[in-house]
Structure formats: structure tokens, C-alpha cells
Amino acid sequence: MSNKTNVLVKSDGAAASSLPPPTWSSRYWFGSSDITWLKHLMAGGISGAVSRTVVSPLERMKILFQIQTKGAGSSYNGVVGTLAKIWREEGIAGYMRGNGTNVVRIVPYSAVQFATYEQLKKLLMEEGKTELDTPRRLTAGAGAGIASVAATYPLDIVRTRISVQTAHALANVDQLPKDARGRPIIPKMPGIVETFVKIYKTEGGLRATYRGFGATLAGVAPYIALNFQCYEVLRKFFTPPGESAPSGARKLVCGALAGCCAQTITYPFDVLRRRMQVTSMSDISYKYSSTFDAIKQMIKAEGILGLYRGLVPNYLKVAPAIGVSFWSYEMAKDALKHW
């Protein structure tokens, strides 16, 4: 976007007056003739909804692994065994349990993340260059992660609670009534609004809806930063000579590899986030007073490997999720390019 001062010209070609240059906010977000930020918001929201729905079964399985302690009786064992158990006890609805909340959360989360990243790229771009260097790209990614988490964190807690509540309702599955096909009839679980109101009223108001926020930021900021950095590098590497972008299949591969690399480094923070989000629930056996207290108790009771609980199914989720997310984002952005 041009930085030149707008000039009014007389009929004889002389400059009549000058308008002041655009402010930072109008230049990067609300320019009257530039609505690319809105396109990035829309494309980001679409990519989030598509990617998370695709991997909803693996997302729920990962959460169940994360909140299950070493001495919990091993209710959920292995990827195949857990998926089979969910199918037997809950049917296909079990795979989608909490996905409505997840989509409600992920649409603004992904929209804010991609739009913020694109705008920070513009802000941090050096004069005369077309690409950010590694430190600036990591900074843009971290800023995008912080903005997206801050905007949607209460919905993340609600989504986690809804997923966990069903698992606890099935703790005594043999005692539940059965339907005609022999499957247990699961009690009606609270919805999004009901769960949020309960947390707000009984667990400490607005502060309770941000429980675990510190651990989340500590993990999400570097994760998103590494995610964008790895994707940009891999995207350039996978682009054939003479082409401006890789094919759709190669974009999927780039996103999958980027997600796995970033998640390997930051995964313990994700486990801590889940534990902190459910620690105040009455039927959860572990109680943590802070993120540091959670780390101490987990390492003492479960060892270092406790911080990586659910990592394998998380790889199975992250690879397609991030791949589909970047692919669908670029598809949506291209479709909106001439809007």
C-alpha cells in the first residue's frame, strides 16, 4: 500500500493542497479502499471450521487422554481401542461430542489468528522487501497466537468441559439404561450457554473462564509462531521452480509437517492447559492451585511422560488439522481475492 501523501491537483496541474498521511489503524486495518483484512478474517474462519470438523473424533480422543491420570483405571487405552470404545458407547455422536462448541470457538479463533498474522506481516515488513526474516515472522506468529487465544479462551474452556462431562457420565456405563441396540442412554449434557453460566456463577466469575490462560499463552504463542514459520519455509521449499505457489496436495503436506514440528516442541503446555481447565470440576481427582503446582504434581505422580500424555493421537489430529487449515485458508483467500 502506498505511503505517499494524497494530493489535490488544480486544473492546470499545480498542487492545491495535501491531505495528511493515513493513520496506523486506517493503514493496516480500516483503510477505505483496502478490505483485505476482512477477507483474511473470512478465510481464516472458513479454514478453522473445515479443519476442526474433519478431525473432531481425534480431538475428543486427545482430550480424554490428557485429562486421564495414570491411576484412573485406564478407561481409554490406545488410539484404536479408544475410538472403538467411543463408537460402542456413544455411536457417531460421540465422535462429534463438543464439536459444535469447538466450531463456535474455532471460527473466531482462526479468523483472528490469520487476520492478525497478515496485518502484523505488513507492519513488520522492512522497506523494499517482500518477505519477513525469521525473527519478524516468529514475532508476527506469536502476536497472532496471543490475539486469537485472548479473544476466544472462555469458549475453549466450555468446549473442554463438554467433552469431559460425557466421559465422566460414562464412568459407570454398566449402570446406565440401554437402548434397543444395547448402547447406554447417556444423560443429557449441559450446552454451551449453560456450561458457561455454571462456570461463571460457581467458580469465580470472569476469572474462572480464563483459568489456565497463562499456561495456554506460554504454549500457544511459540506454537503459532513456529507453525507459521515452518509453513512459510516449507511452502517455499515445496514450490516448483517457475511457480508462485505449491499445489494443493503439497500445501497439505506443508501444513501437516509444520503442525507436527511446532506441536512436538510445545505439547506439554497443551496438557497443562487441559488439566487447569478441568481441575475445579467436582469429579476430577487432581486439584492444582497454579500452573507451577500442576507441573510439580504431574511430574511427581506421572513422571516427565505425563506431560506428553496423548501425544501420539495428537499427531494424528494435528497433521490433517493444520494441513487442511492452511490449505482451506489459501483456497478461501484466493476465492475472495477479486471480491
Side-chain angles (χ1 to χ4, degrees):
M1 190 181 297
S2 174
N3 293 328
K4 295 180 179 179
T5 302
N6 297 317
V7 179
L8 296 179
V9 182
K10 293 181 180 179
S11 58
D12 60 359
S17 62
S18 297
L19 296 176
T23 62
W24 181 89
S25 62
S26 66
R27 179 183 174 190
Y28 291 103
W29 288 96
F30 304 109
S32 59
S33 61
D34 185 3
I35 57 170
T36 54
W37 64 272
L38 180 57
K39 297 177 187 179
H40 294 150
L41 273 175
M42 294 173 65
I46 292 169
S47 74
V50 172
S51 64
R52 287 311 171 97
T53 300
V54 168
V55 299
S56 178
L58 294 170
E59 172 69 12
R60 182 161 185 241
M61 178 175 61
K62 184 196 77 168
I63 292 175
L64 293 176
F65 282 156
Q66 288 179 336
I67 58 93
Q68 178 177 259
T69 61
K70 189 175 182 180
S74 300
S75 299
Y76 297 95
N77 289 314
V79 174
V80 176
T82 297
L83 290 174
K85 178 180 172 66
I86 294 174
W87 174 261
R88 287 195 310 271
E89 296 178 352
E90 306 175 57
I92 193 169
Y95 292 142
M96 294 293 118
R97 189 81 60 189
N99 188 57
T101 311
N102 201 20
V103 169
V104 169
R105 180 192 73 91
I106 204 64
V107 167
Y109 176 89
S110 185
V112 170
Q113 182 184 115
F114 278 104
T116 302
Y117 178 71
E118 297 284 2
Q119 299 305 318
L120 286 175
K121 281 175 64 177
K122 289 183 183 179
L123 177 63
L124 296 172
M125 190 71 69
E126 291 183 283
E127 190 74 26
K129 292 189 176 181
T130 58
E131 288 188 11
L132 295 177
D133 56 20
T134 296
R136 284 181 170 83
R137 190 179 289 143
L138 288 172
T139 300
I146 292 170
S148 57
V149 169
T152 61
Y153 192 76
L155 283 171
D156 190 36
I157 285 191
V158 171
R159 183 273 305 251
T160 300
R161 293 292 182 89
I162 289 176
S163 286
V164 172
Q165 284 167 351
T166 303
H168 284 294
L170 292 169
N172 299 312
V173 65
D174 295 335
Q175 300 176 16
L176 294 175
K178 305 293 192 295
D179 61 16
R181 300 177 62 182
R183 290 175 174 172
I185 300 175
I186 303 169
K188 188 179 184 323
M189 295 292 106
I192 297 173
V193 175
E194 188 177 350
T195 301
F196 178 84
V197 170
K198 181 180 179 182
I199 295 171
Y200 185 87
K201 287 185 175 180
T202 64
E203 299 181 25
L206 186 62
R207 183 177 180 180
T209 66
Y210 278 86
R211 183 173 285 111
F213 184 65
T216 301
L217 279 187
V220 168
Y223 170 68
I224 299 301
L226 289 168
N227 217 3
F228 279 113
Q229 168 66 15
C230 292
Y231 180 76
E232 298 272 16
V233 171
L234 289 166
R235 188 181 188 278
K236 188 175 181 180
F237 178 79
F238 277 93
T239 300
E243 301 288 335
S244 61
S247 64
R250 292 187 177 190
K251 287 176 183 176
L252 285 171
V253 173
C254 291
L257 291 175
C260 287
C261 290
Q263 189 74 166
T264 300
I265 297 171
T266 62
Y267 187 74
F269 291 105
D270 194 34
V271 176
L272 285 169
R273 170 171 62 127
R274 299 298 179 199
R275 292 290 185 93
M276 291 298 294
Q277 287 177 345
V278 300
T279 187
S280 60
M281 294 177 70
S282 59
D283 44 4
I284 289 291
S285 59
Y286 45 80
K287 302 297 177 186
Y288 307 130
S289 59
S290 66
T291 301
F292 183 66
D293 180 53
I295 295 173
K296 288 196 302 181
Q297 288 196 42
M298 287 176 66
I299 293 178
K300 182 178 180 180
E302 305 171 53
I304 293 294
L305 291 180
L307 295 173
Y308 288 89
R309 189 174 296 279
L311 180 60
V312 173
N314 191 61
Y315 280 142
L316 299 179
K317 185 212 78 167
V318 163
I322 302 302
V324 171
S325 179
F326 277 113
W327 172 78
S328 56
Y329 171 71
E330 294 208 37
M331 288 281 288
K333 188 170 69 171
D334 290 341
L336 294 169
K337 186 177 295 183
H338 302 293
W339 172 53

